[in-house]
Amino acid sequence: MGVMEKMRNSTGIILWVLIGSFGLLWVLADVNFFDAMQAGPNSLGAVNGEKISNEEYQSRIQYYSNTYSQQTGNSMTPEMRAFYENQAWDELVNSRLLDQKMKELGITVSDQEVLDMVFGDNPAPIIRQNFTREDGTIDRAAIQQVLSSSEFSQQAVALEVQLRNQRRQQKLQNFIAAGLQVTEQEVEDEFIRNNTTAEVNYLRFPYSEVAEQDLEISDSELQSYYNNNKDRFTRDESYRFRYVTFSKLPTAADTAQIIEDVRELSEPFAQAENDSLFLARQGSSTSYNSSFVAENDVREEYQAVLDLEVGEVSDVILTANQAAILKKEDERGDEIKFQIMSYNIQALPSTIDDANERAADFEFFASEETDFEEEANSRNLEIKEAFATKGNNFISGLGTSQQIMNFLDGSDEDDISEVLELNSDFVVLEVLEITPEGFRPFEEVRTQVENLVKIERRKELTTEKVQGLIDQYSTLEAIAESSEQEVQSLSNLRANATVIQGAGREPMVIGAAFALDAGETSGAIAGNSAVFIMEVVSKNEADLANLDAQTRNEIRQRLEQQKFQEFNSVWLEQLKEDADIVDNRDRLLR
């Protein structure tokens, strides 16, 4: 009774709460709040708040698709589309970052600069490409017509945008290059490195000569090395998944059908008066060949053509990937001209459609009705496992696949993919485990740590041994005799070299040798594979008097280009790291 009494006393309060709630719902409905919630993000992404629309993203992919079709004659495969989708996104992000940076730096292009790129003494490459007469001069009348005619208004606007962007980017490159100037000292140092040589003698004591029993390493040393060098044991995000495949390879029935299709063309091929036109109309996978071939040069699989009369067509022959018939078109002396009417042995559309349907059927039931393993077992499908690492598109057992990596990048554990079309299979996969990026645990890398510590210990022991020999003996020959070594000689070692002939890549050792004077012997130098003792017999120092103006300019340009490339390789990545980049592709497109 107490509870009922409280409820009756609270009826008025409850009614006011309900009225207020309904009022709030009406207000939210009026402002389309729920529609906005269902619609999700209203742009494909953004870079520092500047939106990237789905329209420009799709437009760029369509451009790549058209270019691919023009260059190859084929439509884009799903795998190529996935590759170009990532490329289009990266380019849109990069262009936003560069545009924002140019605005920040105040880099603009005036109308006069655009006019100079069109009508100036040195027109932009796009102007030269599209408005050059046969005599090599610029057709300025044609340019004026495009710019002033309403018929070409869209082209004119597009041309102006392209020219402004080119000019702004050139200004940005000039701005960057101005901060990467090469000094006279750097040019001269480079000339000296390139042209200074030395005659040296040396002894080499390989680290591998240290016996395994001399390497006593405790667990605490291993743990200490791991703790002090954790950055060497990082891992990228990785994925473990299982998958099933549905083959797109041609069946025996497909091959038989293709052979029959080619065989049915034998009589029409023999009767054809224009073989080039016939091959084109029938969609032959082998093009018309107008050349004569010596009979001795005819490939083994086409030897049957030698027994034909002019105009006669052979039986169907099978090569590694084709079914073909041969027609002897002409002959002269010991040369013949023949044509090949062929179709590639590939899965017919019905076979591919059937594989796709079976894959889609499996994906639906595995996702909605049963589970991945149960559905695969019920269909007698082999379940395979694979491992993938973010940033590496190669997957053992499946090859290179941008589609799979795109799915894994936005997935959670237990997610099942849609049907993905690879080169020879349709595939459906289930994510089993996602390992985030970070430091690999000590137990996982213990063997690697142990090997690294052993290398360091070998270096220490070898260096101590060699330094002891140096302290005990005064000459290289005496050290060689006491250690049963042979003195090695190099007559023309260059200061800019990185490899010692017969000893491998040793840039630090070479640098240490050229820091010595003629007649001087080094201490123990720890290299990549051994400890060295270097003796400089003579040095041929480069003479700056031989550094002429042309060589100086060539060195400067080369060093400037190296600096610019090195800077660019990290600058854009740094802009990305510092930027607020929103990527909604997973929510809007997949």
PDB file of all heavy atoms in Angstrom, residues 74-108:
ATOM      1  N   ASN A  74      41.676  -2.235 -70.476  1.00  0.00           N
ATOM      2  CA  ASN A  74      40.837  -3.031 -69.566  1.00  0.00           C
ATOM      3  C   ASN A  74      40.229  -2.134 -68.503  1.00  0.00           C
ATOM      4  O   ASN A  74      40.747  -1.047 -68.211  1.00  0.00           O
ATOM      5  CB  ASN A  74      41.667  -4.131 -68.888  1.00  0.00           C
ATOM      6  CG  ASN A  74      42.294  -5.072 -69.892  1.00  0.00           C
ATOM      7  OD1 ASN A  74      41.642  -5.529 -70.819  1.00  0.00           O
ATOM      8  ND2 ASN A  74      43.581  -5.361 -69.709  1.00  0.00           N
ATOM      9  N   SER A  75      39.150  -2.601 -67.908  1.00  0.00           N
ATOM     10  CA  SER A  75      38.573  -1.869 -66.776  1.00  0.00           C
ATOM     11  C   SER A  75      39.377  -2.186 -65.522  1.00  0.00           C
ATOM     12  O   SER A  75      40.061  -3.206 -65.440  1.00  0.00           O
ATOM     13  CB  SER A  75      37.108  -2.262 -66.584  1.00  0.00           C
ATOM     14  OG  SER A  75      36.995  -3.659 -66.378  1.00  0.00           O
ATOM     15  N   MET A  76      39.288  -1.299 -64.548  1.00  0.00           N
ATOM     16  CA  MET A  76      40.051  -1.473 -63.322  1.00  0.00           C
ATOM     17  C   MET A  76      39.577  -2.686 -62.544  1.00  0.00           C
ATOM     18  O   MET A  76      38.381  -2.892 -62.381  1.00  0.00           O
ATOM     19  CB  MET A  76      39.919  -0.227 -62.429  1.00  0.00           C
ATOM     20  CG  MET A  76      41.130   0.648 -62.472  1.00  0.00           C
ATOM     21  SD  MET A  76      41.249   1.850 -61.117  1.00  0.00           S
ATOM     22  CE  MET A  76      39.616   2.363 -60.786  1.00  0.00           C
ATOM     23  N   THR A  77      40.519  -3.469 -62.051  1.00  0.00           N
ATOM     24  CA  THR A  77      40.182  -4.594 -61.176  1.00  0.00           C
ATOM     25  C   THR A  77      39.853  -4.054 -59.788  1.00  0.00           C
ATOM     26  O   THR A  77      40.257  -2.938 -59.440  1.00  0.00           O
ATOM     27  CB  THR A  77      41.365  -5.560 -61.073  1.00  0.00           C
ATOM     28  OG1 THR A  77      42.473  -4.886 -60.442  1.00  0.00           O
ATOM     29  CG2 THR A  77      41.790  -6.060 -62.445  1.00  0.00           C
ATOM     30  N   PRO A  78      39.131  -4.818 -58.960  1.00  0.00           N
ATOM     31  CA  PRO A  78      38.858  -4.365 -57.584  1.00  0.00           C
ATOM     32  C   PRO A  78      40.136  -4.062 -56.811  1.00  0.00           C
ATOM     33  O   PRO A  78      40.179  -3.128 -56.004  1.00  0.00           O
ATOM     34  CB  PRO A  78      38.103  -5.555 -56.971  1.00  0.00           C
ATOM     35  CG  PRO A  78      37.442  -6.219 -58.122  1.00  0.00           C
ATOM     36  CD  PRO A  78      38.414  -6.080 -59.269  1.00  0.00           C
ATOM     37  N   GLU A  79      41.200  -4.832 -57.065  1.00  0.00           N
ATOM     38  CA  GLU A  79      42.453  -4.602 -56.352  1.00  0.00           C
ATOM     39  C   GLU A  79      43.092  -3.284 -56.767  1.00  0.00           C
ATOM     40  O   GLU A  79      43.596  -2.528 -55.932  1.00  0.00           O
ATOM     41  CB  GLU A  79      43.422  -5.763 -56.617  1.00  0.00           C
ATOM     42  CG  GLU A  79      44.582  -5.844 -55.642  1.00  0.00           C
ATOM     43  CD  GLU A  79      44.123  -5.973 -54.208  1.00  0.00           C
ATOM     44  OE1 GLU A  79      43.313  -6.859 -53.887  1.00  0.00           O
ATOM     45  OE2 GLU A  79      44.574  -5.144 -53.392  1.00  0.00           O
ATOM     46  N   MET A  80      43.059  -2.984 -58.077  1.00  0.00           N
ATOM     47  CA  MET A  80      43.600  -1.713 -58.547  1.00  0.00           C
ATOM     48  C   MET A  80      42.762  -0.554 -58.033  1.00  0.00           C
ATOM     49  O   MET A  80      43.300   0.503 -57.677  1.00  0.00           O
ATOM     50  CB  MET A  80      43.646  -1.692 -60.075  1.00  0.00           C
ATOM     51  CG  MET A  80      44.766  -2.515 -60.689  1.00  0.00           C
ATOM     52  SD  MET A  80      46.419  -2.033 -60.103  1.00  0.00           S
ATOM     53  CE  MET A  80      46.466  -0.310 -60.569  1.00  0.00           C
ATOM     54  N   ARG A  81      41.441  -0.748 -57.974  1.00  0.00           N
ATOM     55  CA  ARG A  81      40.590   0.320 -57.459  1.00  0.00           C
ATOM     56  C   ARG A  81      40.932   0.616 -55.999  1.00  0.00           C
ATOM     57  O   ARG A  81      41.007   1.776 -55.595  1.00  0.00           O
ATOM     58  CB  ARG A  81      39.116  -0.047 -57.600  1.00  0.00           C
ATOM     59  CG  ARG A  81      38.195   1.057 -57.077  1.00  0.00           C
ATOM     60  CD  ARG A  81      36.726   0.765 -57.270  1.00  0.00           C
ATOM     61  NE  ARG A  81      35.934   1.836 -56.692  1.00  0.00           N
ATOM     62  CZ  ARG A  81      35.627   2.976 -57.306  1.00  0.00           C
ATOM     63  NH1 ARG A  81      36.051   3.194 -58.541  1.00  0.00           N
ATOM     64  NH2 ARG A  81      34.899   3.907 -56.711  1.00  0.00           N
ATOM     65  N   ALA A  82      41.148  -0.423 -55.205  1.00  0.00           N
ATOM     66  CA  ALA A  82      41.508  -0.221 -53.797  1.00  0.00           C
ATOM     67  C   ALA A  82      42.818   0.552 -53.690  1.00  0.00           C
ATOM     68  O   ALA A  82      42.969   1.418 -52.825  1.00  0.00           O
ATOM     69  CB  ALA A  82      41.630  -1.568 -53.089  1.00  0.00           C
ATOM     70  N   PHE A  83      43.770   0.239 -54.570  1.00  0.00           N
ATOM     71  CA  PHE A  83      45.050   0.958 -54.575  1.00  0.00           C
ATOM     72  C   PHE A  83      44.832   2.430 -54.908  1.00  0.00           C
ATOM     73  O   PHE A  83      45.369   3.320 -54.243  1.00  0.00           O
ATOM     74  CB  PHE A  83      45.996   0.321 -55.592  1.00  0.00           C
ATOM     75  CG  PHE A  83      47.245   1.109 -55.844  1.00  0.00           C
ATOM     76  CD1 PHE A  83      48.317   1.030 -54.968  1.00  0.00           C
ATOM     77  CD2 PHE A  83      47.356   1.933 -56.955  1.00  0.00           C
ATOM     78  CE1 PHE A  83      49.466   1.770 -55.189  1.00  0.00           C
ATOM     79  CE2 PHE A  83      48.497   2.675 -57.183  1.00  0.00           C
ATOM     80  CZ  PHE A  83      49.560   2.590 -56.303  1.00  0.00           C
ATOM     81  N   TYR A  84      44.030   2.704 -55.945  1.00  0.00           N
ATOM     82  CA  TYR A  84      43.801   4.085 -56.351  1.00  0.00           C
ATOM     83  C   TYR A  84      42.940   4.842 -55.344  1.00  0.00           C
ATOM     84  O   TYR A  84      43.044   6.074 -55.230  1.00  0.00           O
ATOM     85  CB  TYR A  84      43.159   4.130 -57.743  1.00  0.00           C
ATOM     86  CG  TYR A  84      44.139   3.860 -58.852  1.00  0.00           C
ATOM     87  CD1 TYR A  84      43.882   2.893 -59.824  1.00  0.00           C
ATOM     88  CD2 TYR A  84      45.337   4.567 -58.940  1.00  0.00           C
ATOM     89  CE1 TYR A  84      44.787   2.642 -60.838  1.00  0.00           C
ATOM     90  CE2 TYR A  84      46.249   4.323 -59.954  1.00  0.00           C
ATOM     91  CZ  TYR A  84      45.969   3.363 -60.906  1.00  0.00           C
ATOM     92  OH  TYR A  84      46.867   3.117 -61.913  1.00  0.00           O
ATOM     93  N   GLU A  85      42.079   4.147 -54.626  1.00  0.00           N
ATOM     94  CA  GLU A  85      41.302   4.809 -53.570  1.00  0.00           C
ATOM     95  C   GLU A  85      42.238   5.368 -52.507  1.00  0.00           C
ATOM     96  O   GLU A  85      42.069   6.518 -52.056  1.00  0.00           O
ATOM     97  CB  GLU A  85      40.327   3.821 -52.946  1.00  0.00           C
ATOM     98  CG  GLU A  85      39.106   3.519 -53.804  1.00  0.00           C
ATOM     99  CD  GLU A  85      38.220   2.445 -53.219  1.00  0.00           C
ATOM    100  OE1 GLU A  85      38.651   1.770 -52.244  1.00  0.00           O
ATOM    101  OE2 GLU A  85      37.100   2.262 -53.733  1.00  0.00           O
ATOM    102  N   ASN A  86      43.212   4.584 -52.092  1.00  0.00           N
ATOM    103  CA  ASN A  86      44.174   5.066 -51.103  1.00  0.00           C
ATOM    104  C   ASN A  86      45.019   6.197 -51.668  1.00  0.00           C
ATOM    105  O   ASN A  86      45.320   7.174 -50.976  1.00  0.00           O
ATOM    106  CB  ASN A  86      45.082   3.913 -50.641  1.00  0.00           C
ATOM    107  CG  ASN A  86      44.440   3.102 -49.541  1.00  0.00           C
ATOM    108  OD1 ASN A  86      43.222   3.125 -49.375  1.00  0.00           O
ATOM    109  ND2 ASN A  86      45.235   2.373 -48.788  1.00  0.00           N
ATOM    110  N   GLN A  87      45.423   6.057 -52.936  1.00  0.00           N
ATOM    111  CA  GLN A  87      46.241   7.101 -53.551  1.00  0.00           C
ATOM    112  C   GLN A  87      45.468   8.406 -53.663  1.00  0.00           C
ATOM    113  O   GLN A  87      46.006   9.488 -53.394  1.00  0.00           O
ATOM    114  CB  GLN A  87      46.719   6.650 -54.935  1.00  0.00           C
ATOM    115  CG  GLN A  87      47.601   7.670 -55.642  1.00  0.00           C
ATOM    116  CD  GLN A  87      48.230   7.121 -56.899  1.00  0.00           C
ATOM    117  OE1 GLN A  87      48.775   6.028 -56.888  1.00  0.00           O
ATOM    118  NE2 GLN A  87      48.154   7.869 -57.976  1.00  0.00           N
ATOM    119  N   ALA A  88      44.194   8.311 -54.058  1.00  0.00           N
ATOM    120  CA  ALA A  88      43.363   9.511 -54.181  1.00  0.00           C
ATOM    121  C   ALA A  88      43.205  10.203 -52.827  1.00  0.00           C
ATOM    122  O   ALA A  88      43.306  11.432 -52.728  1.00  0.00           O
ATOM    123  CB  ALA A  88      41.992   9.144 -54.751  1.00  0.00           C
ATOM    124  N   TRP A  89      42.969   9.416 -51.785  1.00  0.00           N
ATOM    125  CA  TRP A  89      42.830   9.992 -50.450  1.00  0.00           C
ATOM    126  C   TRP A  89      44.126  10.679 -50.012  1.00  0.00           C
ATOM    127  O   TRP A  89      44.104  11.812 -49.524  1.00  0.00           O
ATOM    128  CB  TRP A  89      42.435   8.916 -49.450  1.00  0.00           C
ATOM    129  CG  TRP A  89      42.435   9.403 -48.028  1.00  0.00           C
ATOM    130  CD1 TRP A  89      43.382   9.166 -47.078  1.00  0.00           C
ATOM    131  CD2 TRP A  89      41.445  10.235 -47.404  1.00  0.00           C
ATOM    132  NE1 TRP A  89      43.049   9.798 -45.904  1.00  0.00           N
ATOM    133  CE2 TRP A  89      41.867  10.458 -46.079  1.00  0.00           C
ATOM    134  CE3 TRP A  89      40.265  10.804 -47.855  1.00  0.00           C
ATOM    135  CZ2 TRP A  89      41.135  11.228 -45.207  1.00  0.00           C
ATOM    136  CZ3 TRP A  89      39.518  11.579 -46.962  1.00  0.00           C
ATOM    137  CH2 TRP A  89      39.962  11.784 -45.656  1.00  0.00           C
ATOM    138  N   ASP A  90      45.249  10.009 -50.190  1.00  0.00           N
ATOM    139  CA  ASP A  90      46.535  10.588 -49.791  1.00  0.00           C
ATOM    140  C   ASP A  90      46.805  11.891 -50.546  1.00  0.00           C
ATOM    141  O   ASP A  90      47.303  12.863 -49.965  1.00  0.00           O
ATOM    142  CB  ASP A  90      47.673   9.602 -50.046  1.00  0.00           C
ATOM    143  CG  ASP A  90      47.667   8.432 -49.077  1.00  0.00           C
ATOM    144  OD1 ASP A  90      47.039   8.564 -48.002  1.00  0.00           O
ATOM    145  OD2 ASP A  90      48.271   7.390 -49.387  1.00  0.00           O
ATOM    146  N   GLU A  91      46.481  11.908 -51.825  1.00  0.00           N
ATOM    147  CA  GLU A  91      46.723  13.114 -52.619  1.00  0.00           C
ATOM    148  C   GLU A  91      45.832  14.270 -52.162  1.00  0.00           C
ATOM    149  O   GLU A  91      46.289  15.417 -52.100  1.00  0.00           O
ATOM    150  CB  GLU A  91      46.494  12.823 -54.096  1.00  0.00           C
ATOM    151  CG  GLU A  91      47.595  11.965 -54.716  1.00  0.00           C
ATOM    152  CD  GLU A  91      47.363  11.705 -56.184  1.00  0.00           C
ATOM    153  OE1 GLU A  91      46.308  12.145 -56.707  1.00  0.00           O
ATOM    154  OE2 GLU A  91      48.223  11.075 -56.819  1.00  0.00           O
ATOM    155  N   LEU A  92      44.569  13.982 -51.841  1.00  0.00           N
ATOM    156  CA  LEU A  92      43.675  15.039 -51.371  1.00  0.00           C
ATOM    157  C   LEU A  92      44.137  15.585 -50.021  1.00  0.00           C
ATOM    158  O   LEU A  92      44.102  16.796 -49.783  1.00  0.00           O
ATOM    159  CB  LEU A  92      42.244  14.508 -51.268  1.00  0.00           C
ATOM    160  CG  LEU A  92      41.548  14.245 -52.609  1.00  0.00           C
ATOM    161  CD1 LEU A  92      40.241  13.511 -52.394  1.00  0.00           C
ATOM    162  CD2 LEU A  92      41.306  15.552 -53.360  1.00  0.00           C
ATOM    163  N   VAL A  93      44.580  14.679 -49.132  1.00  0.00           N
ATOM    164  CA  VAL A  93      45.104  15.123 -47.828  1.00  0.00           C
ATOM    165  C   VAL A  93      46.354  15.964 -48.031  1.00  0.00           C
ATOM    166  O   VAL A  93      46.500  17.051 -47.452  1.00  0.00           O
ATOM    167  CB  VAL A  93      45.400  13.910 -46.927  1.00  0.00           C
ATOM    168  CG1 VAL A  93      46.184  14.338 -45.688  1.00  0.00           C
ATOM    169  CG2 VAL A  93      44.107  13.224 -46.504  1.00  0.00           C
ATOM    170  N   ASN A  94      47.270  15.487 -48.863  1.00  0.00           N
ATOM    171  CA  ASN A  94      48.521  16.216 -49.095  1.00  0.00           C
ATOM    172  C   ASN A  94      48.271  17.582 -49.712  1.00  0.00           C
ATOM    173  O   ASN A  94      48.925  18.573 -49.338  1.00  0.00           O
ATOM    174  CB  ASN A  94      49.446  15.403 -49.994  1.00  0.00           C
ATOM    175  CG  ASN A  94      49.967  14.153 -49.324  1.00  0.00           C
ATOM    176  OD1 ASN A  94      49.866  14.009 -48.106  1.00  0.00           O
ATOM    177  ND2 ASN A  94      50.511  13.234 -50.089  1.00  0.00           N
ATOM    178  N   SER A  95      47.339  17.628 -50.673  1.00  0.00           N
ATOM    179  CA  SER A  95      47.061  18.921 -51.317  1.00  0.00           C
ATOM    180  C   SER A  95      46.479  19.910 -50.320  1.00  0.00           C
ATOM    181  O   SER A  95      46.798  21.107 -50.356  1.00  0.00           O
ATOM    182  CB  SER A  95      46.112  18.729 -52.497  1.00  0.00           C
ATOM    183  OG  SER A  95      44.831  18.304 -52.063  1.00  0.00           O
ATOM    184  N   ARG A  96      45.616  19.417 -49.398  1.00  0.00           N
ATOM    185  CA  ARG A  96      45.074  20.304 -48.365  1.00  0.00           C
ATOM    186  C   ARG A  96      46.205  20.822 -47.458  1.00  0.00           C
ATOM    187  O   ARG A  96      46.259  22.014 -47.133  1.00  0.00           O
ATOM    188  CB  ARG A  96      44.046  19.564 -47.505  1.00  0.00           C
ATOM    189  CG  ARG A  96      42.770  19.165 -48.212  1.00  0.00           C
ATOM    190  CD  ARG A  96      41.909  20.374 -48.575  1.00  0.00           C
ATOM    191  NE  ARG A  96      40.545  19.992 -48.911  1.00  0.00           N
ATOM    192  CZ  ARG A  96      40.149  19.481 -50.059  1.00  0.00           C
ATOM    193  NH1 ARG A  96      41.028  19.246 -51.012  1.00  0.00           N
ATOM    194  NH2 ARG A  96      38.877  19.203 -50.281  1.00  0.00           N
ATOM    195  N   LEU A  97      47.082  19.921 -47.045  1.00  0.00           N
ATOM    196  CA  LEU A  97      48.185  20.317 -46.158  1.00  0.00           C
ATOM    197  C   LEU A  97      49.086  21.345 -46.832  1.00  0.00           C
ATOM    198  O   LEU A  97      49.485  22.341 -46.215  1.00  0.00           O
ATOM    199  CB  LEU A  97      48.992  19.085 -45.756  1.00  0.00           C
ATOM    200  CG  LEU A  97      48.307  18.109 -44.806  1.00  0.00           C
ATOM    201  CD1 LEU A  97      49.130  16.830 -44.680  1.00  0.00           C
ATOM    202  CD2 LEU A  97      48.118  18.733 -43.424  1.00  0.00           C
ATOM    203  N   LEU A  98      49.421  21.114 -48.097  1.00  0.00           N
ATOM    204  CA  LEU A  98      50.294  22.045 -48.813  1.00  0.00           C
ATOM    205  C   LEU A  98      49.599  23.384 -49.021  1.00  0.00           C
ATOM    206  O   LEU A  98      50.226  24.444 -48.866  1.00  0.00           O
ATOM    207  CB  LEU A  98      50.703  21.447 -50.154  1.00  0.00           C
ATOM    208  CG  LEU A  98      51.648  20.244 -50.091  1.00  0.00           C
ATOM    209  CD1 LEU A  98      51.895  19.684 -51.481  1.00  0.00           C
ATOM    210  CD2 LEU A  98      52.978  20.629 -49.438  1.00  0.00           C
ATOM    211  N   ASP A  99      48.316  23.348 -49.359  1.00  0.00           N
ATOM    212  CA  ASP A  99      47.576  24.590 -49.572  1.00  0.00           C
ATOM    213  C   ASP A  99      47.500  25.393 -48.279  1.00  0.00           C
ATOM    214  O   ASP A  99      47.679  26.618 -48.285  1.00  0.00           O
ATOM    215  CB  ASP A  99      46.169  24.272 -50.085  1.00  0.00           C
ATOM    216  CG  ASP A  99      45.412  25.521 -50.490  1.00  0.00           C
ATOM    217  OD1 ASP A  99      45.841  26.183 -51.449  1.00  0.00           O
ATOM    218  OD2 ASP A  99      44.384  25.833 -49.840  1.00  0.00           O
ATOM    219  N   GLN A 100      47.246  24.706 -47.175  1.00  0.00           N
ATOM    220  CA  GLN A 100      47.188  25.398 -45.885  1.00  0.00           C
ATOM    221  C   GLN A 100      48.540  25.983 -45.512  1.00  0.00           C
ATOM    222  O   GLN A 100      48.625  27.089 -44.957  1.00  0.00           O
ATOM    223  CB  GLN A 100      46.698  24.426 -44.808  1.00  0.00           C
ATOM    224  CG  GLN A 100      45.239  24.019 -44.968  1.00  0.00           C
ATOM    225  CD  GLN A 100      44.857  22.836 -44.100  1.00  0.00           C
ATOM    226  OE1 GLN A 100      45.647  22.370 -43.275  1.00  0.00           O
ATOM    227  NE2 GLN A 100      43.650  22.326 -44.290  1.00  0.00           N
ATOM    228  N   LYS A 101      49.601  25.252 -45.806  1.00  0.00           N
ATOM    229  CA  LYS A 101      50.946  25.749 -45.492  1.00  0.00           C
ATOM    230  C   LYS A 101      51.281  26.966 -46.343  1.00  0.00           C
ATOM    231  O   LYS A 101      51.894  27.932 -45.851  1.00  0.00           O
ATOM    232  CB  LYS A 101      51.980  24.645 -45.737  1.00  0.00           C
ATOM    233  CG  LYS A 101      53.339  24.932 -45.121  1.00  0.00           C
ATOM    234  CD  LYS A 101      53.238  25.024 -43.614  1.00  0.00           C
ATOM    235  CE  LYS A 101      54.580  25.294 -42.953  1.00  0.00           C
ATOM    236  NZ  LYS A 101      54.474  25.393 -41.501  1.00  0.00           N
ATOM    237  N   MET A 102      50.876  26.949 -47.614  1.00  0.00           N
ATOM    238  CA  MET A 102      51.143  28.100 -48.479  1.00  0.00           C
ATOM    239  C   MET A 102      50.376  29.334 -47.997  1.00  0.00           C
ATOM    240  O   MET A 102      50.888  30.447 -48.051  1.00  0.00           O
ATOM    241  CB  MET A 102      50.794  27.748 -49.922  1.00  0.00           C
ATOM    242  CG  MET A 102      51.803  26.800 -50.573  1.00  0.00           C
ATOM    243  SD  MET A 102      51.542  26.516 -52.341  1.00  0.00           S
ATOM    244  CE  MET A 102      50.138  25.407 -52.310  1.00  0.00           C
ATOM    245  N   LYS A 103      49.134  29.124 -47.525  1.00  0.00           N
ATOM    246  CA  LYS A 103      48.364  30.248 -46.988  1.00  0.00           C
ATOM    247  C   LYS A 103      49.039  30.788 -45.726  1.00  0.00           C
ATOM    248  O   LYS A 103      49.124  32.004 -45.524  1.00  0.00           O
ATOM    249  CB  LYS A 103      46.945  29.801 -46.670  1.00  0.00           C
ATOM    250  CG  LYS A 103      46.088  29.546 -47.906  1.00  0.00           C
ATOM    251  CD  LYS A 103      44.696  29.069 -47.519  1.00  0.00           C
ATOM    252  CE  LYS A 103      43.839  28.791 -48.765  1.00  0.00           C
ATOM    253  NZ  LYS A 103      42.502  28.245 -48.407  1.00  0.00           N
ATOM    254  N   GLU A 104      49.522  29.877 -44.896  1.00  0.00           N
ATOM    255  CA  GLU A 104      50.207  30.286 -43.664  1.00  0.00           C
ATOM    256  C   GLU A 104      51.455  31.112 -43.972  1.00  0.00           C
ATOM    257  O   GLU A 104      51.769  32.077 -43.272  1.00  0.00           O
ATOM    258  CB  GLU A 104      50.585  29.040 -42.861  1.00  0.00           C
ATOM    259  CG  GLU A 104      51.344  29.317 -41.583  1.00  0.00           C
ATOM    260  CD  GLU A 104      51.819  28.033 -40.919  1.00  0.00           C
ATOM    261  OE1 GLU A 104      51.140  26.997 -41.050  1.00  0.00           O
ATOM    262  OE2 GLU A 104      52.892  28.073 -40.276  1.00  0.00           O
ATOM    263  N   LEU A 105      52.159  30.736 -45.039  1.00  0.00           N
ATOM    264  CA  LEU A 105      53.384  31.446 -45.419  1.00  0.00           C
ATOM    265  C   LEU A 105      53.107  32.673 -46.277  1.00  0.00           C
ATOM    266  O   LEU A 105      54.038  33.412 -46.619  1.00  0.00           O
ATOM    267  CB  LEU A 105      54.312  30.488 -46.188  1.00  0.00           C
ATOM    268  CG  LEU A 105      54.828  29.279 -45.403  1.00  0.00           C
ATOM    269  CD1 LEU A 105      55.549  28.317 -46.335  1.00  0.00           C
ATOM    270  CD2 LEU A 105      55.752  29.731 -44.281  1.00  0.00           C
ATOM    271  N   GLY A 106      51.843  32.878 -46.648  1.00  0.00           N
ATOM    272  CA  GLY A 106      51.493  34.035 -47.461  1.00  0.00           C
ATOM    273  C   GLY A 106      51.906  33.901 -48.916  1.00  0.00           C
ATOM    274  O   GLY A 106      52.139  34.914 -49.595  1.00  0.00           O
ATOM    275  N   ILE A 107      51.988  32.672 -49.402  1.00  0.00           N
ATOM    276  CA  ILE A 107      52.376  32.447 -50.794  1.00  0.00           C
ATOM    277  C   ILE A 107      51.143  32.562 -51.678  1.00  0.00           C
ATOM    278  O   ILE A 107      50.231  31.743 -51.599  1.00  0.00           O
ATOM    279  CB  ILE A 107      53.031  31.059 -50.963  1.00  0.00           C
ATOM    280  CG1 ILE A 107      54.324  30.990 -50.142  1.00  0.00           C
ATOM    281  CG2 ILE A 107      53.320  30.772 -52.427  1.00  0.00           C
ATOM    282  CD1 ILE A 107      54.992  29.635 -50.180  1.00  0.00           C
ATOM    283  N   THR A 108      51.104  33.578 -52.506  1.00  0.00           N
ATOM    284  CA  THR A 108      49.982  33.815 -53.405  1.00  0.00           C
ATOM    285  C   THR A 108      50.502  33.996 -54.827  1.00  0.00           C
ATOM    286  O   THR A 108      51.703  34.144 -55.051  1.00  0.00           O
ATOM    287  CB  THR A 108      49.189  35.067 -52.981  1.00  0.00           C
ATOM    288  OG1 THR A 108      50.076  36.195 -52.999  1.00  0.00           O
ATOM    289  CG2 THR A 108      48.606  34.902 -51.585  1.00  0.00           C
TER     290      THR A 108
END
